[in-house]
Amino acid sequence: MSHWIAACAVDDIEQEDVARFDHEGRTFAIYRSPDDAFFATDGVCTHEKVHLADGLVMDHIIECPKHNGRFDYRTGKAQGAPVCVSLKTYTVKVEGDRVWINLD
Amino acid sequence: MIRPSEPIIIVGAGQAGVRAALALREQGYDGSLLLIGDEPQLPYERPPLSKQVLLGSREPDQCTIGGADLFMEQDIRLLTGVRVERIRREISSIALDDGATLAYSKLLLATGGRVRTVTVQGAGLAGVHYLRTIEDALQLKAQLLPGQRVVVVGGGFIGLEVAASARTLGCSVTVLEAGERLAARALPPQLSEKLLQLHRARGVDVQLQSRIEAFAGTTVVQGVALEDGRNVPCDIIVVGIGIAPNVELAVEAGLAVVNGIRVNHRLQTSDEHIYAVGDVCEFPSALTGRTMRLETWRNAEEQGKHAARTLLGHDENFSALPWFWSDQFDYSLQIAGEPHMAAHCIERPLTDDGLLIFFLNEQQQLVAACGWGRGNSIAKDIKIAEILIKARRTIAHEALADPAIGLKSLLKGTSDA
């Protein structure tokens, strides 16, 4: 069963950037790629639990703000030490000026 | 890949040694691999010790760098609680304190450092603590009870992190720093001032230019006597005055050692079969070529990974920039590059008391950046600064100073962007 939630406005995130979205005690990171696609992952790094939205997006990679942990935010895949556990990803859709994520 | 008949042996199971071992496997080394640590526990990360472990928000088993399973999966033979007594270079072997002798094909020294200790009268009293190991952290944690009077000797990062943790736990805390400002070796004056203001605002009594005469007490510490005649009563003392590199094995083996074990751009010592990484090694800076020794988590990580590649025969220079962070209460600071190279210093004020400081050389190239802000708010900017430093581009002062200009826009044209 899908569980769509409006996360933010399209204009809240610049191209090649990330924003934090909190919902019912959970934290997510919403990404806007250089080619204007939106993606979503769990919001904290699997290594040291810091918020990924404080990190730097370069192309399709998010780098955690503390320890250089890198993930491909399209797949959630960890890109090497010190992170080894990948991020959970969520389906995203854009309707009008809103970005929605499916929490299931 | 040629598989040597003898193992690669890594001496030291801290951040650098463990990262090197794991990186050797990631890079395809399938020969015998031995990791030796003198502490009894599984290898662990040190940054949480002065913060989460003292505060009780993380247990020791949550600080490990992978668990026992990881080393088994990776076929890394891990010896803990074992000390290496001697390197015998002439026969490419090491002698352990249990009498065993082990031959190596290549040897990596990641022996780290140990705390510098004070030698004043009363230094051996009960209640005097240091913080380097997980045992140290657990012993100190048990003493940091609400209402305890804690004196921290040393206003560097470890001392200040302990002070913040102790204050958060409800202790009354005094920091005694001999110098004129906090963390002066690492920080520019502006950030020393930010640290001072934050600690004082949170109730830490910071006393600058305070030199210790003696620790007072009969069996248990009761106070600190200062050279100027003052006395600071206390129940606990935590000494945080830096670490000394564990170079004895290397010295005894006749390797080149100055401020640390001297290595070249490939992290190779004066013996081509022996490498050194992390807190213990002194290496040439990628920016200046000058030798430096860094006691940071990131340096241990980067050098561990790099040594793995050079151990496997890749001829690559170590080129990572110095980078450091510290958390203090709910603020953090980060430093990238080498601020001492600067001819110019540009400030960019941020919202919420945050601050970025950029350091440029005479050619207007960025050589370092420091950031101060709530949580990890400055992390993104410091990462961008790192890319700009590596790119060696000239950058206009006005662009760096103006908070309205996104730093990311300055990346255009850099090869890493």
Side-chain angles (χ1 to χ4, degrees):
Chain A
M1 197 179 83
S2 60
H3 181 192
W4 288 98
I5 298 288
C8 60
V10 166
D11 291 345
D12 287 347
I13 314 175
E14 292 183 9
Q15 279 183 349
E16 204 178 19
D17 209 350
V18 56
R20 176 176 165 178
F21 168 58
D22 294 341
H23 180 71
E24 292 182 347
R26 295 165 70 188
T27 295
F28 305 90
I30 317 286
Y31 310 85
R32 185 171 183 172
S33 71
D35 49 357
D36 240 359
F38 287 84
F39 299 89
T41 69
D42 273 333
V44 292
C45 180
T46 56
H47 171 238
E48 283 273 359
K49 310 298 178 201
V50 294
H51 285 282
L52 290 167
D54 289 328
L56 178 65
V57 173
M58 297 290 278
D59 199 9
H60 293 109
I61 300 295
I62 172 73
E63 183 170 333
C64 108
K66 269 289 168 62
H67 306 98
N68 298 119
R70 293 179 186 192
F71 304 89
D72 185 327
Y73 58 77
R74 297 170 299 183
T75 60
K77 192 171 182 336
Q79 303 290 296
V83 294
C84 47
V85 179
S86 295
L87 291 167
K88 186 168 166 28
T89 59
Y90 300 87
T91 315
V92 174
K93 66 180 179 183
V94 175
E95 285 186 359
D97 65 348
R98 309 297 295 177
V99 181
W100 294 71
I101 70 172
N102 186 349
L103 299 187
D104 289 336
Chain B
M1 189 177 296
I2 298 167
R3 178 192 278 217
S5 56
E6 303 296 351
I8 294 177
I9 297 182
I10 301 172
V11 183
Q15 198 78 42
V18 173
R19 182 56 63 213
L22 294 171
L24 279 165
R25 290 297 188 223
E26 281 168 14
Q27 290 166 27
Y29 173 67
D30 64 356
S32 178
L33 182 52
L34 178 61
L35 178 63
I36 303 173
D38 61 0
E39 290 186 67
Q41 303 88 353
L42 280 169
Y44 59 89
E45 302 207 334
R46 293 188 198 281
L49 300 185
S50 53
K51 302 172 283 268
Q52 295 95 327
V53 171
L54 288 187
L55 291 170
S57 63
R58 198 184 300 183
E59 296 300 318
D61 62 3
Q62 295 172 304
C63 300
T64 54
I65 315 172
D69 291 353
L70 178 66
F71 296 102
M72 295 231 316
E73 277 165 23
Q74 298 292 320
D75 194 20
I76 296 167
R77 192 173 156 219
L78 175 65
L79 293 182
T80 55
V82 174
R83 185 173 289 277
V84 177
E85 299 251 292
R86 179 167 302 164
I87 302 167
R88 297 185 62 190
R89 292 163 56 196
E90 69 283 6
I91 54 168
S92 296
S93 75
I94 55 170
L96 306 183
D97 62 356
D98 62 5
T101 298
L102 300 170
Y104 61 80
S105 60
K106 301 278 184 191
L107 185 65
L108 177 64
L109 300 176
T111 47
R114 58 179 176 277
V115 290
R116 290 186 197 279
T117 54
V118 291
T119 54
V120 297
Q121 185 188 337
L125 290 169
V128 177
H129 293 261
Y130 294 86
L131 179 53
R132 178 70 180 167
T133 67
I134 209 145
E135 287 297 326
D136 295 338
L138 292 174
Q139 283 179 19
L140 179 57
K141 175 177 183 264
Q143 303 300 313
L144 293 179
L145 304 172
Q148 289 290 92
R149 297 168 302 172
V150 179
V151 164
V152 175
V153 176
F157 292 113
I158 283 291
L160 292 169
E161 287 180 1
V162 169
S165 297
R167 189 75 196 116
T168 303
L169 289 165
C171 302
S172 72
V173 181
T174 303
V175 173
L176 301 174
E177 163 57 40
E180 292 181 353
R181 59 186 180 88
L182 295 176
R185 202 157 53 96
L187 291 185
Q190 302 95 316
L191 289 196
S192 291
E193 185 59 27
K194 291 276 188 192
L195 263 180
L196 180 65
Q197 286 172 5
L198 176 68
H199 276 263
R200 285 184 172 161
R202 301 296 168 92
V204 177
D205 178 12
V206 182
Q207 304 274 338
L208 300 172
Q209 300 185 75
S210 296
R211 294 191 167 276
I212 309 297
E213 174 90 15
F215 295 161
T218 47
T219 55
V220 178
V221 73
Q222 292 177 320
V224 179
L226 300 177
E227 280 184 2
D228 63 9
R230 285 180 295 153
N231 183 58
V232 183
C234 66
D235 308 301
I236 299 164
I237 293 173
V238 186
V239 180
I241 55 171
I243 67 166
N246 291 325
V247 296
E248 289 77 5
L249 270 180
V251 169
E252 201 263 352
L255 300 176
V257 174
V258 186
N259 177 35
I261 303 172
R262 188 156 273 191
V263 294
N264 62 19
H265 285 286
R266 292 192 301 279
L267 307 178
Q268 198 170 32
T269 69
S270 51
D271 179 326
E272 63 175 327
H273 301 295
I274 304 178
Y275 294 69
V277 288
D279 293 1
V280 79
C281 89
E282 192 183 32
F283 63 98
S285 153
L287 285 177
T288 65
R290 289 187 354 185
T291 54
M292 62 196 309
R293 194 170 65 77
L294 293 175
E295 300 162 0
T296 69
W297 181 93
R298 168 87 79 93
N299 185 59
E301 279 278 307
E302 297 291 344
Q303 290 194 332
K305 284 189 267 188
H306 192 85
R309 288 187 64 73
T310 51
L311 279 162
L312 298 180
H314 297 278
D315 184 11
E316 295 167 3
N317 288 348
F318 179 69
S319 62
L321 290 178
W323 181 92
F324 173 78
W325 93 85
S326 175
D327 294 327
Q328 305 279 337
F329 293 104
D330 49 344
Y331 279 75
S332 68
L333 64 84
Q334 294 196 5
I335 309 165
E338 298 188 50
H340 62 86
M341 291 170 62
H344 312 281
C345 176
I346 312 289
E347 291 190 23
R348 171 185 284 226
L350 303 174
T351 54
D352 209 10
D353 194 35
L355 179 67
L356 293 174
I357 307 174
F358 300 100
F359 302 86
L360 296 106
N361 63 15
E362 286 177 352
Q363 291 76 43
Q364 313 306 323
Q365 295 165 318
L366 195 64
V367 291
C370 301
W372 167 266
R374 262 185 204 278
N376 291 313
S377 57
I378 44 85
K380 213 179 282 192
D381 288 335
I382 296 296
K383 286 194 189 301
I384 294 169
E386 273 189 82
I387 298 170
L388 292 169
I389 294 167
K390 284 182 182 166
R392 296 174 190 248
R393 282 238 325 276
T394 56
I395 306 173
H397 290 199
E398 298 74 24
L400 292 173
D402 185 353
I405 297 175
L407 284 183
K408 213 168 174 183
S409 68
L410 305 179
L411 291 176
K412 291 194 179 84
T414 55
S415 57
D416 287 350

